[in-house]
Amino acid sequence: MKKLLFFVLLCLPLVASAEEAVVDGIKYTLDEKSMTAEAAGLADSTLTDIVIPASIQVEGKDYQVLSIGAKAFNNNHLASITLSEGLKSIGVGAFMYTWKLGQLITPNSVESIEPCAFENSSIKLLVIGEGIKTIGSCAIRSLPDLSEFYIYAPQMPVFPYDEIDMIDESHWYSVNLYVPEDLVDQYRQSEASCLNEIPDENIRPISKDYESFISSIKTVKSDSNQKEACYSLDGRRLKSPQKGINIIRMSDGTTRKKW
């Protein structure tokens, strides 16, 4: 009996550890039965750029990443978040108070964005893929920096109509919303609080398909690494590189020497 008890106690930590894992600085909750995983937050608080992959491997087993948990990445300094195809849902308050995030793109596989998912974040460009079906209460509320908003779903997703979503949304007057051409009128007539604040002329048909648009965004991001300013070794800003060693400061803040 003592040997059996010792064996059971020995196995308990292994069972517990199999329910959670850390991969590339991100915590995941694992479901052994369905072999799926949910992103649960940062294990490495110094990360500023993260990728939520389509699957992770833990102890030789593959788990599909289907969801991002409630408040998983709220109140953080993430500047870049990449969500992979295969993700199904973004949980309650998952990216609340993400102060440095300039853009967020959801893959076509995402079907639901839960309440308060992006609330009070610094997102300027928000792209919602083709698979979205529901966008929860306050999910996109209080995005004061938002200027470009794309929704690629072929059918208008369900938006909340509750009173809590009626808090000051005056910043929506300057938002440009792009949707499939045959849904423009439907969006203009919507009673959803945030959409209702967008002027009709700011609700426009999408001009590029999802894949083409995402590719163009990546190209622009790549181009942003072009040189921004040129300096001499003694710190003087130059109009153009001169003979000898020049210090080139890139638009992403990095520097390099040029001869």
Side-chain angles (χ1 to χ4, degrees):
M1 178 63 72
K2 289 183 178 180
K3 288 184 177 180
L4 178 60
L5 180 59
F6 174 77
F7 178 77
V8 172
L9 292 174
L10 184 65
C11 290
L12 281 177
L14 295 177
V15 174
S17 65
E19 296 177 354
E20 294 184 351
V22 174
V23 179
D24 294 332
I26 299 174
K27 296 184 289 187
Y28 293 91
T29 301
L30 308 178
D31 186 325
E32 293 284 350
K33 185 175 181 180
S34 63
M35 297 302 292
T36 59
E38 178 176 86
L42 291 176
D44 182 354
S45 61
T46 66
L47 291 177
T48 58
D49 306 293
I50 64 170
V51 175
I52 306 298
S55 64
I56 57 172
Q57 189 171 80
V58 180
E59 296 180 354
K61 299 178 181 178
D62 291 323
Y63 297 83
Q64 286 185 298
V65 181
L66 297 184
S67 59
I68 297 174
K71 296 185 177 180
F73 301 99
N74 71 314
N75 195 17
N76 63 72
H77 53 267
L78 294 173
S80 174
I81 299 170
T82 301
L83 306 177
S84 301
E85 191 69 34
L87 187 70
K88 294 292 186 181
S89 66
I90 299 175
V92 175
F95 296 108
M96 284 180 67
Y97 301 104
T98 306
W99 299 110
K100 296 184 178 180
L101 186 64
Q103 66 180 41
L104 187 67
I105 301 167
T106 72
N108 287 326
S109 55
V110 170
E111 297 178 352
S112 66
I113 297 174
E114 300 300 321
C116 306
F118 311 133
E119 185 179 4
N120 287 308
S121 294
S122 60
I123 298 171
K124 297 178 179 65
L125 169 65
L126 179 60
V127 182
I128 307 297
E130 298 173 359
I132 192 67
K133 295 178 180 177
T134 59
I135 298 178
S137 176
C138 306
I140 53 177
R141 193 186 79 191
S142 299
L143 299 177
D145 298 319
L146 186 67
S147 60
E148 303 289 313
F149 186 16
Y150 290 76
I151 304 177
Y152 274 87
Q155 294 184 336
M156 186 174 176
V158 175
F159 285 88
Y161 294 90
D162 50 356
E163 293 182 2
I164 193 173
D165 228 22
M166 297 302 291
I167 296 175
D168 182 21
E169 299 289 358
S170 58
H171 58 275
W172 284 96
Y173 281 107
S174 60
V175 172
N176 292 314
L177 173 62
Y178 299 89
V179 299
E181 185 173 8
D182 59 341
L183 297 180
V184 169
D185 287 340
Q186 188 175 345
Y187 275 91
R188 287 177 176 173
Q189 296 166 14
S190 172
E191 294 299 323
S193 59
C194 58
L195 300 183
N196 195 42
E197 300 297 334
I198 303 176
D200 285 352
E201 61 269 22
N202 285 15
I203 301 178
R204 307 166 182 173
I206 290 172
S207 60
K208 288 185 178 181
D209 63 72
Y210 179 86
E211 295 298 336
S212 298
F213 182 58
I214 301 308
S215 295
S216 68
I217 293 174
K218 292 178 179 178
T219 300
V220 170
K221 188 174 182 181
S222 176
D223 288 345
S224 70
N225 287 327
Q226 298 300 315
K227 68 179 182 180
E228 181 181 86
C230 180
Y231 296 84
S232 64
L233 284 178
D234 60 4
R236 291 181 299 107
R237 183 161 184 168
L238 306 173
K239 291 183 178 179
S240 60
Q242 296 183 356
K243 185 177 181 180
I245 300 175
N246 298 271
I247 304 299
I248 308 298
R249 187 181 72 184
M250 313 302 283
S251 57
D252 62 359
T254 60
T255 60
R256 61 184 178 86
K257 292 181 180 179
K258 182 178 180 180
W259 283 265

